Amino acid sequence: MLRSAVAALLVLLAGLFLVGLTFSVSARGRAEFSFVNNAEPKTLDPTMMTGEPEGRVAEALFEGLTRLDAKTLEPAPGSAERWEISNEGKRYVFHLRENARWSDGHPLRAQDFSYAWRRLQDPKQGAEYAYILHMVVGAEAFNTYAAQADALLGPVTKALAELARAHPNSVPAAAFHAFSEKQQLFAATKGTPDAWLQALLAEQRPTPDAPTLARLATALTQEGQRRRREAEQAAAHFGIDRGVYATDDHTLVVELTAPTPYFLELTAFHASYPVPRWAVEAKGGQDTWFLPRKIVSNGAFRLAEWNVGDRIRLLRSDTYWGRADVKLSSADVFPVDNQTAALNLYLSGAVDWLPSNSYPVDLADYLRNRPDYYHAPALIVYYYRINCTRKPFDDLRVRKALNLAIDREQIAKEVLNLGQIPAFHLVPPGLRDYRAPDASLRYDLGEARRLLKEAGFANGRDFPAFGILYNTLESHKKLAEVLADQLHRTLGLKVSAYNQEWQAYQESVRSLNYDVARAGWVGDYEDPNTFLDLWVTNAGNNETGWGDPLYDRLIRAAAHVDTFIEAPQALLAALPHAELLQAALARTRAAVTSEQRLREAALLRLELLRSAETQLLDSGLPIIPLYFYVVSGLVKPNVKGFYTKLSQADGSTRPNPRDIHPLREIVIDANH
Amino acid sequence: MPITSALALLAGAAVVVATTFLADRQARALGALGLAFLLLVLLRFALGLPLALALALLGGALGFRYAPELVLRRVTFLLPALVLLIFATTLLMFAAPGNPFANERVASPAVEAALRARYGVPKSGAEFFLVYARRLLFDGTLGPSIKVQGRSVEELLAPALPVSFSLGLLSILLSLVAGVALGFRAGLKPNALADTASMALALLGISLPSFVIGASLCIVFALWLGWFPVAGWGSYAHLALPALTLALPNAAVIARLARSGMIDVLQQDYVRAARAKGLPEHLVITRHALRGAILPVVSYLGPAAAGTMTGSFVVEVLFGVPGMGQWFVKGAVNRDYSLVLGTAIVYFGLITFFNLLVDLGYAWLDPRVRERA
Amino acid sequence: MTSQAPTSATPAPAAEPSLLEVRDLKKHFPVRGGVFGRVLGSVKAVDGVSFRLKRGETLGLVGESGCGKTTVGRSILRLIEPSGGEVLFEGEDLLSATRPRLRQLRRRMQIVFQDPYASLNPRMSVGEAVAEPIRVHGLFTGAAVQRRVDELFERVGLPSSYRTRFPHEFSGGQRQRIGIARALALGPEFIVCDEAISALDISIQAQILNLLADLQAELGIAYLFITHSLNVVRHLAHRIAVMYLGEIVELASAEDLFESPQHPYTRALLSANPVPDPNVPLTPMLLSGEVPSPIHPPTGCRFHPRCPRAFEPCASVPPKTSLIQPNSGEHRVHCHLYDNAS
């Protein structure tokens, strides 16, 4: 018995010793500032990362040409101390700081940026965020054209020949749709100069006959050859002497295909951060260079430890050019995906900041009255997709009726009750200079019933039963059920809510295998375009089957505002209400200085986007916008340099819509 | 599922079943061969091929000569079962909708193809199985994780395993001590107030889900009393609440098993005989009743230990513990195929190991089993 | 019985004082039920049993299974706590003895169980099982313990080299020999043999009975020999008590009981056990019906529902114990048929 007891005790001691071995960093005590990160970063390679949790850490470890000023979230000089913009906003020349250094002592050079941007666009790299810099000359061609050319000249041609053989007379709309979906024809020919091809692909439900197919085959082959040439060109020059390139160690030139007013925000975004070529290209470095003890970074902090599932420890970098301004000496990032645990950590004082989406929503009522609670409308919209390829949802009147029969205000107040803002349009509020279209989706039951009757479903009679799909989550379920119930009570429709696990849900949505499906979109940058270019015909994330040539033209005009200024007539004539747009155009043309002109062109662009949103809401409605999220969190009162209200040029404040708080400027007030 | 995969699956299952019909001599030989093979695969990348080969041969020979047949039989079963496990899991994973590269933003086919090439994820399950087997055998790696980039699955599991392992060990010991003490006490005086009370408590422990127990412990001991940190990892204080949460349900089961074991044994004639010999009661219990009464607990301990030491997702998430449990769930949710297989292999290994331990423990506790083994 | 059957026991001298006297022994087990384990009733397993046992004497305690005979044996040794009555061992009441005193007394009284396998700890070598009581009571120390164990093994007819083996390595008869060796280890004056041979083959039974008889002759041990078979005790026991549903219905010398059984139950038992003895009249008298539940024993005479000779008072009035043929030694019958005999 005694022997057994001793043995058990020994095992226990061995176990405790083993535990001790797993403590490592943590044994060194609490960091000066610590916060909860909703998830473990997938990677710390800024080129490859995609999510918010990664972004929060990357922002501390790296620095782009610009950085976001904590007080305003407007671009401020980062690694570049100044820049010039010329050629109508299409050419940027950045001057890098002489004293900017990497954490291993290497000086930061302009080539580090051109290398990183080339790596981002390299098709072999497979970086998901490559598209965000596709406005750089040659980027898109380098990134996507080679694969598209391969497809166009290979499988697409073959599939087209088969299609022609199967349907000698004319191809039914459904078969052509299936073909173009399967071959991802729209993505593969996006931006083609071939007007005939453009027109064919912009058609809603084309039924091409044999001659058309033959011409299509030629056009596609030509397009494929064109793309191959451009891809080869871009591969040879992008990041070397075209698009983005260094003229010397401290000068970086960036050429854009179109003026991009938010470009300086993009240069503060992780996809555009520099990467250390020598570390990446070291043996086995490609996928591991960002791990602790290997990583070389240029930001205000350096990575001391990264214990997966436990914490990331950041220490103030002693090579960072602005280290004198960095107040924090250390920070801990806790990947806590359990919201209760996250809140407990905050309440017990183990962390200082609980960012948005990291506490249990059910406790919002209790938390809202705390003095350390903050909230702001977010750049996130919650909406439902409507499958416009299915009857009867292909009828605009039906889609409009669904939209008008939903009482968004009641849902926001009584179902959500977190301060969410009912969405009567798509683009969230709070974007600089952007004014949303006048609300046209207000609750109007009479109109909804009238529209439904007009579409042939008086009182919902004969309307087929349909389902609302959502990905498995309690809050989505609640909302889908409320919606189903409202549509049943107001319009007499037979609606059921059903769920699928995330991956299955994505598959269903992507293959248009749904009636109505829940969705959300987080703005990548502070610009309406991030919400609007989703709905371009057959765009990758459209996934509703909806398309409108006029809408596409508006989005294209906004992307190439200089082209629009030269030849606006055709588009203006096509629009029902173009007064505001015309006024903006006139102001742009009247601008005297180039700065003024740049500014007015930016406003004109926003006006174009606004026209696009109006068009989407008035004559498209492939969606049911429901509400705009709010960001809300908790932060300890002794945390300074943390701005929940952002200052604006005119002295007023605006909310912080993305809950971004650069670590560089955070100070812990010891006297508090 | 393609017909070839289905046939392969059936064949694999047949081989696994066939191993149980091996004659003693064959089992010894095959077991020793398997042992040598396992050693070779495990040691090759640590020691280099020649040394590993030598050690493997030595290990196989020693195993053939000295290892108990119980162990060698386990090995002959283990290898085909492991292959079958990997194959079946692969097919199941690929049958599930989605893939590791699916994201809310649609990746272009070129991006997806580039990622598939980089992570070695072909489009069919059978192809992936071959890629995986080749990586396992010739590169000695469980493959790259896709969820946490830049780290291989073994690099993810290696730091998590000791965390779960030590936490599990502590909680198993806690539950063993508490459960056995409570159960024996109750079993010695069945139907007394203490018995009824402790069994009611045990019933509660079994029926309450661990997130309720964990949350309650957290509220009382962390938020109200402030004795322990609410979550995280990094000091011995961090162990207390998760270990307790993990221990309570096990302690409850063990208490019930220990109680019924004790009641059972006390009715045995040999315990009466011990009393009749005039042994003081404490000697009757410790020398005669205890070993017999603990047997049901021991057989429960094997699976319980494997289960606890591979981590509990709920408890880890609740207390922010960087253990194994998270990878079981995150691997599956993200369709991180290599990670799923890695966790499955680890779990399989632990289950096999602990069952072997239990069998050896049985043999120690019971001379009848010892003889058969 | 085979020809090796032990020589018939002679009646022990009547004047000798009793080694053991049991007076009105009772054991009632509570019956629990319901969610909260309330006591719903009790099983009167033993209900007022009295008898005496002299030094060197064997008393056979016979009855069907469930009659309470095993409970009597275990209650006497306080392996289960009796509910009432007295057990006097050399005049000292065992039931009020303190635990330390009881442990001292255990040296003098031992038990041999029915199932020799169940009664040996499977996880303890048989040598240790026999040595354990010797050590615990401090009879011998050091090497002397081993010598004593060897001696005991030889005494019960087992090679002493067997002592390192475990119970599962032995046959049933060998195990029972070990059980006896264990009982003998402390040199007891009284042994309860609780169905000690009923689990063994017939041929082995005789060997063990002979062993027990030899030990009695040599060491003067008194046996309470509990069995369900009259035949087994016929030649070994001096006196025999017959039990039915917790009561002794008849108690007499072995000879008297077999030659002139009085109680209808005893007669029924004897007729059910054909005995190769021409003196016993073969009047087949088979028992009908089931043994009634001891939780709700029949009123009056407990045997009356099955008794072929039941008459008016049997169902309502409990019978008294009558002493018959007082001159040929004690012969007690618990039956209304003998109400006027004494």
Side-chain angles (χ1 to χ4, degrees):
Chain A
M1 217 38 217
L2 188 68
R3 260 186 310 159
S4 314
V6 169
L9 202 68
L10 281 179
V11 172
L12 185 74
L13 287 178
L16 286 178
F17 175 70
L18 205 60
V19 180
L21 288 182
T22 67
F23 291 157
S24 60
V25 240
S26 355
R28 284 175 227 159
R30 194 186 190 284
E32 205 181 339
F33 174 72
S34 48
F35 65 96
V36 161
N37 211 4
N38 323 36
E40 185 71 55
K42 260 179 148 177
T43 173
L44 289 181
D45 182 340
T47 306
M48 299 302 292
M49 60 179 53
T50 52
E52 237 180 11
E54 288 83 3
R56 285 200 189 102
V57 181
E59 170 274 320
L61 288 177
F62 294 90
E63 188 179 66
L65 294 163
T66 54
R67 61 183 173 83
L68 298 181
D69 183 86
K71 286 185 210 61
T72 62
L73 286 195
E74 286 185 30
S79 297
E81 57 184 341
R82 62 195 165 81
W83 51 83
E84 292 106 34
I85 308 173
S86 56
N87 190 18
E88 310 242 326
K90 291 197 284 189
R91 183 183 159 92
Y92 287 69
V93 179
F94 293 94
H95 301 279
L96 270 59
R97 291 174 198 276
E98 302 273 344
N99 58 347
R101 291 244 175 304
W102 287 94
S103 56
D104 62 354
H106 275 82
L108 179 74
R109 303 183 316 149
Q111 290 86 340
D112 299 331
F113 282 93
S114 56
Y115 171 73
W117 291 24
R118 185 178 159 87
R119 182 168 176 261
L120 176 74
Q121 302 299 344
D122 191 329
K124 284 198 285 299
Q125 189 68 26
E128 282 183 48
Y129 260 112
Y131 75 89
I132 211 158
L133 288 181
H134 273 180
M135 75 287 286
V136 178
V137 170
E140 189 172 7
F142 179 41
N143 187 228
T144 61
Y145 280 12
Q148 289 165 354
D150 287 347
L152 286 174
L153 297 175
V156 177
T157 309
K158 225 180 284 168
L160 189 62
E162 263 166 46
L163 191 71
R165 215 172 308 130
H167 306 280
N169 297 324
S170 81
V171 183
F176 190 75
H177 177 78
F179 157 75
S180 59
E181 275 292 293
K182 179 140 194 295
Q183 301 301 333
Q184 298 182 308
L185 206 56
F186 301 96
T189 56
K190 190 176 151 227
T192 174
D194 185 337
W196 181 84
L197 189 56
Q198 272 177 27
L200 178 74
L201 293 178
E203 265 180 60
Q204 268 297 292
R205 302 181 71 73
T207 52
D209 54 10
T212 315
L213 282 189
R215 187 163 171 199
L216 179 61
T218 322
L220 289 181
T221 308
Q222 276 170 2
E223 182 60 25
Q225 282 158 350
R226 188 185 75 86
R227 288 195 175 224
R228 170 144 304 157
R229 274 195 310 277
E230 293 212 3
E232 280 163 9
Q233 282 278 314
H237 297 285
F238 181 78
I240 298 164
D241 55 14
R242 190 177 307 158
V244 54
Y245 52 92
T247 51
D248 63 56
D249 280 1
H250 295 284
T251 312
L252 186 76
V253 177
V254 180
E255 300 161 340
L256 305 185
T257 54
T260 308
Y262 53 91
F263 186 69
L264 290 174
E265 268 180 56
L266 294 184
T267 53
F269 185 67
H270 55 71
S272 67
Y273 288 168
V275 293
R277 181 176 196 158
W278 57 97
V280 174
E281 293 186 353
K283 188 173 181 302
Q286 179 66 242
D287 291 325
T288 58
W289 68 271
F290 49 84
L291 295 182
R293 280 167 291 282
K294 285 187 174 176
I295 186 168
V296 176
S297 61
N298 74 326
F301 293 84
R302 65 184 173 83
L303 182 70
E305 292 285 344
W306 179 9
N307 293 346
V308 174
D310 177 14
R311 76 185 69 191
I312 285 175
R313 161 112 0 143
L314 303 169
L315 294 179
R316 180 168 50 211
S317 164
D318 39 21
T319 55
Y320 179 58
W321 61 267
R323 57 190 174 272
D325 299 333
V326 182
K327 303 294 184 304
L328 279 183
S329 61
S330 60
D332 270 346
V333 188
F334 291 97
V336 184
D337 36 21
N338 180 275
Q339 299 183 326
T340 311
L343 180 62
N344 285 345
L345 280 172
Y346 180 82
L347 293 180
S348 70
V351 299
D352 305 303
W353 173 33
L354 200 59
S356 209
N357 292 329
S358 47
Y359 62 84
V361 177
D362 307 342
L363 294 178
D365 271 340
Y366 153 73
L367 296 174
R368 196 172 322 170
N369 300 320
R370 291 175 60 105
D372 50 354
Y373 176 87
Y374 66 87
H375 72 111
L379 273 191
I380 309 173
V381 60
Y382 190 106
Y383 61 95
Y384 282 87
R385 285 191 170 93
I386 304 175
N387 187 346
C388 298
T389 63
R390 282 197 183 169
K391 279 192 184 308
F393 303 107
D394 56 344
D395 187 334
L396 173 63
R397 290 169 299 192
V398 168
R399 301 200 295 268
K400 206 158 213 165
L402 294 183
N403 264 289
L404 295 181
I406 290 164
D407 189 348
R408 295 173 173 78
E409 270 166 349
Q410 188 221 334
I411 287 177
K413 206 174 293 160
E414 288 165 24
V415 183
L416 305 163
N417 191 29
L418 254 181
Q420 285 94 335
I421 302 155
F424 298 108
H425 42 86
L426 180 72
V427 178
L431 290 171
R432 272 190 307 274
D433 300 327
Y434 185 76
R435 206 163 48 80
D438 302 323
S440 59
L441 302 181
R442 297 252 171 223
Y443 182 57
D444 186 346
L445 205 48
E447 178 68 3
R449 288 187 175 136
R450 194 188 64 74
L451 283 166
L452 204 62
K453 191 172 171 188
E454 226 178 87
F457 306 101
N459 298 323
R461 254 198 310 279
D462 302 328
F463 199 94
F466 69 97
I468 299 181
L469 169 66
Y470 59 95
N471 57 301
T472 314
L473 198 77
E474 199 48 43
S475 55
H476 296 334
K477 175 182 169 162
K478 195 158 107 186
L479 211 51
E481 281 170 354
V482 167
L483 213 63
D485 181 56
Q486 281 201 357
L487 290 175
H488 177 70
R489 280 189 293 109
T490 54
L491 297 181
L493 307 181
K494 289 181 280 296
V495 193
S496 56
Y498 68 105
N499 65 314
Q500 287 177 349
E501 177 249 14
W502 176 244
Q503 293 248 356
Y505 152 88
Q506 284 191 327
E507 196 101 341
S508 298
V509 170
R510 207 156 287 165
S511 55
L512 293 180
N513 185 18
Y514 68 93
D515 300 315
V516 172
R518 172 268 142 191
W521 191 258
V522 185
D524 287 325
Y525 41 88
E526 289 195 39
D527 190 275
N529 190 52
T530 179
F531 294 94
L532 292 172
D533 70 354
L534 298 176
W535 309 107
V536 168
T537 311
N538 300 307
N541 289 301
N542 179 317
E543 293 168 345
T544 61
W546 177 80
D548 175 359
L550 184 56
Y551 182 83
D552 299 353
R553 281 165 69 192
L554 283 165
I555 296 293
R556 212 172 317 128
H560 301 272
V561 78
D562 46 342
T563 322
F564 173 69
I565 294 169
E566 280 159 29
Q569 284 75 23
L571 187 54
L572 285 175
L575 284 174
H577 306 286
E579 300 81 16
L580 288 169
L581 196 55
Q582 255 158 349
L585 181 65
R587 276 197 302 276
T588 314
R589 287 183 166 161
V592 188
T593 64
S594 88
E595 252 142 63
Q596 223 170 21
R597 190 180 155 86
L598 218 55
R599 163 95 192 129
E600 288 300 336
L603 291 175
L604 173 62
R605 177 181 162 278
L606 289 179
E607 200 54 57
L608 280 164
L609 290 173
R610 183 171 185 272
S611 301
E613 191 180 358
T614 310
Q615 177 72 11
L616 180 76
L617 297 176
D618 286 351
S619 21
L621 270 184
I623 50 172
I624 307 174
L626 217 55
Y627 68 86
F628 301 116
Y629 281 71
V630 285
V631 293
S632 57
L634 292 163
V635 64
K636 297 278 178 206
N638 62 340
V639 177
K640 304 294 174 196
F642 187 99
Y643 303 94
T644 57
K645 290 265 185 289
L646 302 172
S647 333
Q648 299 206 99
D650 59 7
S652 62
T653 61
R654 66 182 183 107
N656 186 334
R658 286 190 287 162
D659 204 16
I660 289 180
H661 306 277
L663 221 49
R664 182 188 194 275
E665 293 174 50
I666 283 178
V667 189
I668 300 299
D669 184 356
N671 303 323
H672 195 89
Chain B
M1 195 196 312
I3 189 82
T4 43
S5 298
L7 284 177
L9 210 57
L10 276 177
V15 171
V16 171
V17 172
T19 58
T20 58
F21 293 103
L22 285 175
D24 289 0
R25 184 84 191 158
Q26 292 165 330
R28 284 201 82 83
L30 277 178
L33 265 178
L35 200 63
F37 179 72
L38 269 182
L39 283 172
L40 182 66
V41 171
L42 287 175
L43 296 176
R44 197 181 129 196
F45 296 95
L47 304 175
L49 189 60
L51 192 57
L53 195 64
L55 278 177
L57 288 175
L58 184 71
L62 285 177
F64 182 69
R65 183 76 189 79
Y66 298 108
E69 198 184 312
L70 183 84
V71 176
L72 291 177
R73 268 197 185 276
R74 278 294 154 81
V75 176
T76 60
F77 164 81
L78 184 134
L79 283 176
L82 186 60
V83 174
L84 186 68
L85 171 84
I86 296 174
F87 189 61
T89 309
T90 306
L91 292 184
L92 283 173
M93 287 190 308
F94 276 78
N99 69 68
F101 310 107
N103 209 312
E104 198 163 12
R105 293 185 169 78
V106 179
S108 75
V111 169
E112 192 184 316
L115 289 172
R116 279 187 184 277
R118 266 178 65 187
Y119 289 103
V121 182
K123 289 211 166 179
S124 91
E127 281 174 78
F128 180 75
F129 174 74
L130 295 178
V131 171
Y132 191 81
R134 201 177 52 236
R135 273 204 304 240
L136 199 60
L137 291 179
F138 297 106
D139 306 336
T141 170
L142 295 170
S145 162
I146 300 159
K147 163 78 185 163
V148 183
Q149 290 165 9
R151 307 199 193 210
S152 62
V153 170
E154 60 268 24
E155 279 170 323
L156 283 184
L157 299 187
L161 200 60
V163 169
S164 286
F165 207 79
S166 47
L167 192 60
L169 192 69
L170 186 66
S171 93
I172 278 286
L173 282 173
L174 270 179
S175 52
L176 196 61
V177 169
V180 166
L182 215 66
F184 278 2
R185 212 187 121 81
L188 287 173
K189 285 213 168 80
N191 298 322
L193 185 68
D195 173 37
T196 317
S198 55
M199 283 309 110
L201 211 68
L203 194 65
L204 207 66
I206 292 171
S207 2
L208 279 181
S210 51
F211 57 84
V212 173
I213 297 177
S216 315
L217 289 176
C218 187
I219 289 172
V220 175
F221 293 105
L223 292 178
W224 287 355
L225 299 173
W227 291 356
F228 302 110
V230 287
W233 192 250
S235 73
Y236 288 104
H238 281 109
L239 279 169
L241 295 183
L244 264 179
T245 309
L246 278 173
L248 277 179
N250 275 335
V253 176
I254 288 174
R256 293 182 72 88
L257 288 173
R259 173 182 181 267
S260 60
M262 184 51 91
I263 289 177
D264 220 44
V265 163
L266 287 185
Q267 280 160 5
Q268 298 287 320
D269 276 349
Y270 68 81
V271 171
R272 291 216 173 86
R275 290 224 178 91
K277 285 174 187 172
L279 257 63
E281 194 62 19
H282 72 270
L283 281 186
V284 174
I285 303 301
T286 53
R287 298 198 54 171
H288 293 270
L290 217 55
R291 277 190 173 191
I294 205 129
L295 278 181
V297 175
V298 170
S299 52
Y300 172 73
L301 224 48
T308 316
M309 292 189 188
T310 44
S312 146
F313 178 67
V314 174
V315 171
E316 283 177 15
V317 162
L318 202 58
F319 292 103
V321 175
M324 285 282 292
Q326 53 173 333
W327 301 123
F328 280 90
V329 177
K330 286 178 185 166
V333 169
N334 294 298
R335 305 287 190 274
D336 195 339
Y337 299 143
S338 299
L339 187 53
V340 171
L341 286 177
T343 52
I345 291 173
V346 168
Y347 191 67
F348 176 83
L350 282 177
I351 274 276
T352 315
F353 177 69
F354 283 109
N355 279 338
L356 193 66
L357 272 193
V358 165
D359 287 353
L360 295 174
Y362 247 87
W364 177 66
L365 285 172
D366 195 332
R368 286 166 292 181
V369 181
R370 198 181 309 165
E371 197 135 291
R372 255 177 276 139
Chain C
M1 285 279 94
T2 65
S3 57
Q4 295 168 333
T7 46
S8 178
T10 47
E16 210 179 303
S18 298
L19 175 69
L20 180 80
E21 181 170 359
V22 176
R23 288 188 193 155
D24 197 24
L25 186 70
K26 290 191 172 115
K27 176 62 192 177
H28 299 175
F29 292 104
V31 175
R32 287 167 196 276
V35 185
F36 301 103
R38 274 173 302 129
V39 176
L40 300 177
S42 63
V43 179
K44 298 185 169 86
V46 178
D47 205 15
V49 164
S50 307
F51 60 83
R52 272 187 257 230
L53 187 63
K54 289 186 267 299
R55 207 173 278 279
E57 185 195 25
T58 300
L59 174 69
L61 188 59
V62 182
E64 289 171 287
S65 56
C67 72
K69 57 189 190 298
T70 293
T71 308
V72 169
R74 292 180 180 178
S75 298
I76 290 170
L77 298 182
R78 273 183 71 187
L79 291 177
I80 45 184
E81 291 295 329
S83 317
E86 287 173 296
V87 177
L88 303 174
F89 189 76
E90 288 196 320
E92 181 178 356
D93 188 5
L94 287 180
L95 302 193
S96 56
T98 59
R99 283 182 96 85
R101 176 65 189 147
L102 187 66
R103 270 213 313 282
Q104 286 177 351
L105 288 170
R106 290 212 188 284
R107 283 173 54 178
R108 303 170 62 186
M109 38 191 195
Q110 283 294 314
I111 182 167
V112 176
F113 290 93
Q114 168 175 11
D115 181 351
Y117 189 48
S119 64
L120 287 168
N121 188 339
R123 286 166 278 275
M124 193 178 257
S125 73
V126 294
E128 184 51 32
V130 174
E132 190 182 34
I134 300 172
R135 275 205 203 95
V136 166
H137 288 277
L139 297 187
F140 294 93
T141 51
V145 177
Q146 279 321 314
R147 278 201 300 278
R148 171 74 178 146
V149 172
D150 291 351
E151 203 179 293
L152 285 165
F153 267 61
E154 272 158 40
R155 185 66 204 80
V156 297
L158 288 173
S160 57
S161 60
Y162 281 11
R163 62 161 191 258
T164 55
R165 298 195 183 175
F166 285 91
H168 66 273
E169 297 172 76
F170 293 94
S171 71
Q174 287 173 319
R175 280 184 205 139
Q176 199 56 295
R177 285 174 194 271
I178 295 161
I180 292 167
R182 178 182 62 194
L184 290 176
L186 295 170
E189 294 149 58
F190 163 57
I191 295 180
V192 175
C193 297
D194 184 2
E195 299 268 21
I197 58 166
S198 46
L200 307 175
D201 292 347
I202 296 286
S203 59
I204 312 289
Q205 285 188 353
Q207 293 174 14
I208 300 292
L209 284 176
N210 282 332
L211 173 64
L212 288 172
D214 292 352
L215 289 170
Q216 187 169 53
E218 198 178 315
L219 304 169
I221 303 170
Y223 293 133
L224 175 65
F225 201 92
I226 299 169
T227 178
H228 62 274
S229 157
L230 276 166
N231 288 343
V232 168
V233 283
R234 179 164 196 182
H235 301 288
L236 185 74
H238 302 100
R239 288 184 303 137
I240 294 175
V242 178
M243 269 188 90
Y244 184 77
L245 272 189
E247 296 174 338
I248 291 184
V249 294
E250 185 165 3
L251 192 153
S253 69
E255 229 164 311
D256 277 1
L257 193 91
F258 277 94
E259 276 164 22
S260 59
Q262 301 297 324
H263 196 284
Y265 179 63
T266 314
R267 293 184 182 198
L269 280 184
L270 282 172
S271 67
N273 284 283
V275 181
D277 190 335
N279 295 333
V280 178
L282 266 175
T283 40
M285 231 179 76
L286 293 174
L287 289 173
S288 60
E290 295 285 309
V291 179
S293 156
I295 302 177
H296 304 291
T299 52
C301 174
R302 291 185 177 181
F303 186 56
H304 83 264
R306 298 170 81 197
C307 182
R309 296 183 60 186
F311 63 112
E312 195 197 323
C314 296
S316 50
V317 184
K320 287 198 263 302
T321 299
S322 313
L323 216 55
I324 55 171
Q325 297 171 320
N327 37 355
S328 74
E330 193 185 39
H331 192 147
R332 283 168 19 197
V333 187
H334 196 62
C335 180
H336 282 299
L337 289 172
Y338 305 92
D339 276 353
N340 303 318
S342 50

